[in-house]
Amino acid sequence: MNWNRRVRWSSLAATVLLAACGGGGDDHKPGGGGGPGTEVPGVTESVEIIRDRNGVSHIFAQNQRDLFFAQGYNAARDRLWQLDQWRRRGEGKMAEQFGPRFVEADRAARLFLFRGDLEAEFASYHPEGKEILTAFADGVNAYVDEVKADPSKLPIEFRLTGTEPGRWSPTSSLIRIYGITRNVGTEISVARRIAAVGAATTEELSEMEPRRPLQVPAGIDVSTLNTGILANYQLARNGLDFEASDFPRSPLSEPDRQRLAAVLSVANGTAERAPEELAALQHESNNWTVSGSRTATGKPILANDPHRAISMPSLRYMVHLNAPGWNVIGAGEPALPGVSIGHNERIAFGLTIFAYGDEEDLYVYEINPANPNQYRYNGGWEDMRLVEETIPVRGQGEQQVTLKFTRHGPVVHEDAAAGKAYAVRAAYLEFPGTAAYLASLRLNQADNWTEFTEGMARHYTPGENMVYADVDGNIGWFGGALVPIRPNPDWSGLLPVPGDGRYEWAGHLPGSQLPRIFNPPEGYFATANQFNVPDDYTHRNLTNTMGWAEPYRFDRIVEVLDRSSQHTVEDSAKLQIDQLSIPARTLVPMLNGLSSPDADVAEALRQLLAWDYVATVESVPATIFEVWMPKVLTEVSNRVIPAAGRSVFGTLSKPKVFERLANPDDVFGADPVAGRNALLLETLKSTMTDLKTRMGSDVQTWKWGSLHHIKFDHELAEFLNPDLAGRLATSRFPVGGTNDTVHRASYRSSDFRVTSGASFRQVIDVGNWDNSLAINVPGQSADPESPYYDNLLEAWSKGEYFPLAFSRGAIERAKADTTRLRPER
């Protein structure tokens, strides 16, 4: 956000919006929220927080407790509404502020809270994990208390909804439902596919690695399995959309409350997503580490750009933590202490999702007709464990709810008519230390490969491809995962199983046996969520999942790194923004030799066949290709998938479609080649018709960046007057890349707005930490008044970075302001 717009926001918001809420102007400014030398209850010694010009806070504390206290306090200064929603949804405490509609969502969330040994849980993340998490929660609470004491500091989302932030506990960061785990939803999906077309056809048309035969367990009727069985599981993970009635204490009118509900649902990720958006969130991210033998400096370079849904405020929060025993910088999530991606004084690390571990199973039970709280197990009836919980409800006092658990996990569905119950067995609910990313605390202090691998052996969730580099010149990879051992030879993990005692885990794979590679002979190691379990790994076939990404980003990364012998930081930054489309390079050559009397199709052929396959913002053929390819995928899929299975399969993967096109058979007709060619030309015609309708008849104006873009509206924009909403919105920026390029920029098909991509980028120079580069998006702060609200968006869209200052001298040169927290006298 530029300064002029910030001034306009301050003046207009105060008169148009905040006054309507009965609050004064918000005096929270950069570096405020405590002010220089301000007493903050809970601090034991003076803490200095230097915010640099890019919005990154460098926290200097004199002891560990104050360091994590200040991290929590500082995150709350920038992201209080985001933090409060994260905690309320995850702990099942939404009804307390938003009313009775949320009771069922709260009940569902509480089914997935960790209920094991908390002392072992804290110790798994770090030997002093309990102290760290307590300090972090105390810091968040210190800022909550500050805001409640001075309501003018309350973020506007609270004012407009008539709610207030709640308090954190040391267990608030232990919420499980936000972790990227798998694959209970896939089990239902595979069952429905088998019910529609049979196991053999499902195996043929599905992508799964390593490949194992699909065998339906005895006693499972796949025709009875449907997505409704997981409704409570999805409610726990995705939450509930807001409605206007959830804000009765809001000062807004009824129409404005309705608009607010819709906007906050989208902002919190609870609104329904289009299928292509869900697919885009499934498997993303790139990372690589390059040995000094292949770099210009002789020291390693490590790069990482984890891809997730791109939102405002950002999923990622960058911070530098410095205290005795700690000196680490990078990005994590605002609700968690430490950093999950970054470097300390000796090692660098970066992650992508590693889909090896299958942490979930759906169990199906026969229920005792005489007692619905008993299920058949080992030939007898076993009692469910019933847990009574009290849910505070705004305006209604408290409500009592009952949670049910089998020996395997929470009961998510009961079908009384069929005499069945369903429970999710989740390794992250059974084993301590399985809250997402918190095990990074050990990595933050690791000095070498041995300490790194010891930390990764406890990094259970999410499953991560963690790449490594150190100042001694070593590089490596560790496949971190939580892997239940399924001993039955017919148990693929891809289908629900009976809960009668025949299908029991035999523990989980010890972290010491997880795959790793140290100093690979190629001189680099890269991952992009592709299937990468080493061929010689002893436990390669222990799991069988469908969570692997298509290979195109990885193939392109390797293609570039293979030919680079003097690699630089700038080369890695350029590779992160690489926009060459391997799917285009695969599909477009199939048009060679084709022609058409139709002028539009002829123009499409001319554009595509002259293209270099790079999806720049200026490219016209990139626009044509990105509209054309989905049509090809759909048409081929409809020919290959039996009619009964089309609704449950959707479109086939690109590798399967391209294989069919390269080797046409009778699904394309009596003359397969002619039928294939006709399909390609017909879909090109449809593409040109659609683009002329959308973009006009002048093909030269069909530049990819004219369609493909990024833009954020403030989450409250839809209920503000249009003038103010426009002043709060970010600018619109063209974006290159596609869903399949290294620069992955997934988008909504309705308006081509980028919705998923690099939530953070880093390129780490291990030989000179201050030479490292990074970028967040759209900014570090969620406060529209802050200059760090969207200051990074334009640079992100252009593939630009800022220097990631690490040394004290570099930090001082980049300093924007300083806040000092000091203890009460």
Side-chain angles (χ1 to χ4, degrees):
M1 176 183 287
N2 62 48
W3 179 254
N4 289 335
R5 199 178 79 205
R6 182 170 169 247
V7 171
R8 291 197 298 271
W9 154 252
S10 298
S11 60
L12 284 172
T15 57
V16 177
L17 182 58
L18 299 182
C21 299
D26 190 341
D27 64 1
H28 173 67
K29 297 292 189 294
T38 297
E39 293 183 2
V40 177
V43 175
T44 63
E45 296 182 88
S46 178
V47 177
E48 183 180 30
I49 304 175
I50 301 175
R51 197 191 304 256
D52 67 30
R53 290 189 295 270
N54 301 294
V56 178
S57 292
H58 305 260
I59 302 174
F60 293 87
Q62 299 177 59
N63 61 73
Q64 176 180 279
R65 187 198 174 279
D66 284 349
L67 179 68
F68 289 102
F69 178 98
Q71 186 184 8
Y73 178 90
N74 197 62
R77 284 200 307 167
D78 281 337
R79 307 283 189 91
L80 187 56
W81 170 261
Q82 183 184 25
L83 287 175
D84 197 62
Q85 288 292 292
W86 192 94
R87 180 190 61 82
R88 287 191 183 281
R89 282 184 51 206
E91 292 182 339
K93 295 180 179 179
M94 291 290 286
E96 181 181 27
Q97 286 287 303
F98 298 100
R101 272 201 334 111
F102 287 85
V103 170
E104 283 304 308
D106 284 352
R107 179 188 175 277
R110 294 180 186 210
L111 286 170
F112 289 89
L113 292 175
F114 179 72
R115 296 173 182 272
D117 183 344
L118 276 180
E119 293 304 316
E121 166 85 349
F122 288 129
S124 180
Y125 305 118
H126 189 275
E128 295 166 344
K130 185 174 183 178
E131 291 77 9
I132 290 171
L133 285 157
T134 299
F136 184 84
D138 288 347
V140 174
N141 289 335
Y143 190 71
V144 169
D145 291 342
E146 190 173 310
V147 161
K148 287 184 175 181
D150 183 358
S152 69
K153 296 179 180 178
L154 195 66
I156 60 175
E157 295 91 346
F158 291 104
R159 301 185 194 188
L160 291 166
T161 57
T163 60
E164 62 179 23
R167 296 182 65 79
W168 279 54
S169 77
T171 61
S172 293
S173 294
L174 307 181
I175 293 168
R176 285 348 195 218
I177 61 172
Y178 298 120
I180 301 174
T181 53
R182 63 195 63 78
N183 64 342
V184 70
T186 299
E187 293 178 18
I188 291 291
S189 176
V190 172
R192 295 179 69 210
R193 291 179 179 188
I194 291 174
V197 302
T201 301
T202 298
E203 287 180 33
E204 176 190 357
L205 299 181
S206 300
E207 295 281 4
M208 50 187 173
E209 294 287 354
R211 300 196 70 82
R212 288 168 56 186
L214 289 173
Q215 185 172 335
V216 178
I220 295 296
D221 181 357
V222 292
S223 68
T224 66
L225 299 174
N226 58 74
T227 56
I229 290 168
L230 295 180
N232 278 307
Y233 173 87
Q234 298 296 349
L235 185 59
R237 283 202 170 265
N238 300 327
L240 192 66
D241 290 359
F242 283 124
E243 295 178 359
S245 60
D246 302 327
F247 314 132
R249 294 176 295 193
S250 169
L252 298 173
S253 65
E254 176 66 18
D256 283 346
R257 289 204 303 272
Q258 291 175 353
R259 289 192 288 272
L260 172 64
V263 169
L264 291 181
S265 294
V266 173
N268 290 330
T270 59
E272 184 177 355
R273 293 182 181 272
E276 66 269 20
E277 291 183 89
L278 293 174
L281 298 177
Q282 194 171 19
H283 31 50
E284 302 180 76
S285 304
N286 310 304
N287 64 10
W288 55 86
T289 181
V290 182
S291 167
S293 64
R294 299 183 68 105
T295 69
T297 64
K299 289 290 187 179
I301 293 170
L302 184 145
N304 186 201
D305 53 307
H307 299 185
R308 294 280 293 276
I310 298 176
S311 59
M312 187 166 70
S314 174
L315 169 71
R316 308 293 178 189
Y317 190 69
M318 298 179 65
V319 71
H320 181 184
L321 303 172
N322 187 298
W326 298 86
N327 191 11
V328 62
I329 190 169
E333 296 187 14
L336 307 176
V339 301
S340 54
I341 310 157
H343 73 82
N344 59 27
E345 293 172 333
R346 289 201 40 90
I347 77 166
F349 47 93
L351 56 83
T352 71
I353 292 298
F354 180 52
Y356 174 62
D358 173 4
E359 304 94 342
E360 298 172 335
D361 280 315
L362 183 65
Y363 282 80
V364 184
Y365 305 91
E366 177 189 348
I367 294 302
N368 185 351
N371 183 349
N373 294 326
Q374 290 185 329
Y375 58 97
R376 187 172 295 283
Y377 188 78
N378 281 343
W381 296 111
E382 184 160 301
D383 289 332
M384 294 181 185
R385 180 166 61 97
L386 307 183
V387 175
E388 302 297 324
E389 294 258 332
T390 299
I391 297 179
V393 183
R394 187 208 66 223
Q396 295 188 8
E398 296 178 341
Q399 286 194 26
Q400 301 298 313
V401 297
T402 301
L403 312 180
K404 295 185 178 183
F405 300 86
T406 69
R407 64 170 43 236
H408 299 119
V411 176
V412 294
H413 184 70
E414 296 176 85
D415 185 344
K420 299 290 184 182
Y422 304 82
V424 172
R425 186 171 192 181
Y428 50 84
L429 296 180
E430 295 188 17
F431 301 113
T434 51
Y437 300 113
L438 277 176
S440 297
L441 287 167
R442 291 179 181 270
L443 306 187
N444 292 177
Q445 290 185 300
D447 281 342
N448 52 52
W449 174 253
T450 299
E451 293 179 6
F452 169 79
T453 56
E454 288 172 352
M456 283 302 301
R458 295 172 175 265
H459 198 297
Y460 300 121
T461 58
E464 300 288 12
N465 291 295
M466 194 72 78
V467 293
Y468 167 94
D470 68 33
V471 295
D472 297 323
N474 300 301
I475 66 169
W477 163 81
F478 193 106
L482 179 58
V483 188
I485 298 172
R486 298 173 176 84
N488 305 43
D490 64 336
W491 192 0
S492 67
L494 289 174
L495 283 163
V497 294
D500 58 11
R502 288 179 290 145
Y503 291 83
E504 296 295 340
W505 294 347
H508 70 100
L509 191 66
S512 60
Q513 297 182 29
L514 290 168
R516 72 216 52 200
I517 293 175
F518 186 56
N519 289 330
E522 298 84 359
Y524 68 86
F525 196 93
T527 81
N529 316 109
Q530 83 289 357
F531 178 62
N532 66 336
V533 182
D535 292 342
D536 60 353
Y537 177 50
T538 303
H539 305 290
R540 188 173 193 267
N541 296 316
L542 189 59
T543 67
N544 182 22
T545 73
M546 294 181 175
W548 307 100
E550 293 175 349
Y552 306 117
R553 288 179 292 115
F554 172 74
D555 289 348
R556 177 58 178 166
I557 292 167
V558 168
E559 187 176 280
V560 173
L561 291 179
D562 261 346
R563 62 177 186 241
S564 176
S565 60
Q566 294 290 303
H567 197 74
T568 66
V569 166
E570 291 72 25
D571 290 336
S572 269
K574 183 179 179 181
L575 180 53
Q576 286 185 332
I577 312 300
D578 188 278
Q579 296 171 160
L580 184 138
S581 169
I582 290 182
R585 198 171 67 184
T586 304
L587 181 57
V588 169
M590 297 183 193
L591 298 173
N592 278 314
L594 302 188
S595 61
S596 172
D598 184 286
D600 288 338
V601 176
E603 176 63 17
L605 290 169
R606 187 186 71 80
Q607 290 279 351
L608 290 172
L609 291 171
W611 185 29
D612 60 3
Y613 313 120
V614 179
T616 67
V617 294
E618 298 295 322
S619 175
V620 170
T623 302
I624 296 172
F625 180 81
E626 284 297 302
V627 176
W628 176 53
M629 183 175 65
K631 295 177 182 292
V632 174
L633 297 176
T634 298
E635 289 300 319
V636 174
S637 297
N638 286 343
R639 284 164 170 75
V640 173
I641 301 170
R646 288 172 191 162
S647 64
V648 292
F649 274 91
T651 57
L652 298 176
S653 70
K654 286 185 281 296
K656 287 193 176 295
V657 168
F658 295 165
E659 180 183 2
R660 289 281 186 158
L661 289 168
N663 302 282
D665 57 17
D666 57 6
V667 301
F668 295 101
D671 184 339
V673 173
R676 184 267 318 268
N677 293 345
L679 181 150
L680 296 176
L681 293 174
E682 288 165 4
T683 49
L684 272 182
K685 174 62 176 176
S686 174
T687 296
M688 298 300 281
T689 299
D690 288 354
L691 283 171
K692 288 175 77 173
T693 300
R694 179 187 287 269
M695 304 187 75
S697 59
D698 185 354
V699 175
Q700 300 311 312
T701 66
W702 296 0
K703 296 179 179 180
W704 182 226
S706 298
L707 276 183
H708 191 236
H709 69 283
I710 191 167
K711 181 180 184 294
F712 292 99
D713 297 313
H714 188 272
E715 58 182 338
L716 309 180
E718 292 187 20
F719 72 91
L720 300 175
N721 70 67
D723 179 61
L724 181 54
R727 293 169 192 261
L728 281 177
T730 71
S731 298
R732 180 191 191 281
F733 297 103
V735 179
T738 72
N739 191 53
D740 302 299
T741 56
V742 178
H743 177 203
R744 187 171 189 180
S746 304
Y747 55 90
R748 296 189 305 219
S749 59
S750 58
D751 63 358
F752 292 82
R753 181 182 290 200
V754 173
T755 57
S756 180
S759 59
F760 164 78
R761 297 186 185 116
Q762 68 170 17
V763 180
I764 304 300
D765 186 342
V766 178
N768 179 1
W769 299 122
D770 286 336
N771 194 44
S772 303
L773 303 173
I775 191 80
N776 197 356
V777 65
Q780 285 279 96
S781 176
D783 179 4
E785 269 197 278
S786 171
Y788 312 114
Y789 173 65
D790 66 352
N791 60 307
L792 303 177
L793 179 56
E794 182 175 8
W796 180 95
S797 72
K798 294 178 177 179
E800 297 173 353
Y801 299 74
F802 59 77
L804 187 60
F806 186 63
S807 69
R808 184 64 189 235
I811 294 166
E812 290 292 343
R813 289 190 294 273
K815 178 169 66 176
D817 57 70
T818 301
T819 298
R820 290 180 176 83
L821 313 181
R822 59 181 175 84
E824 291 182 297
R825 295 176 181 173

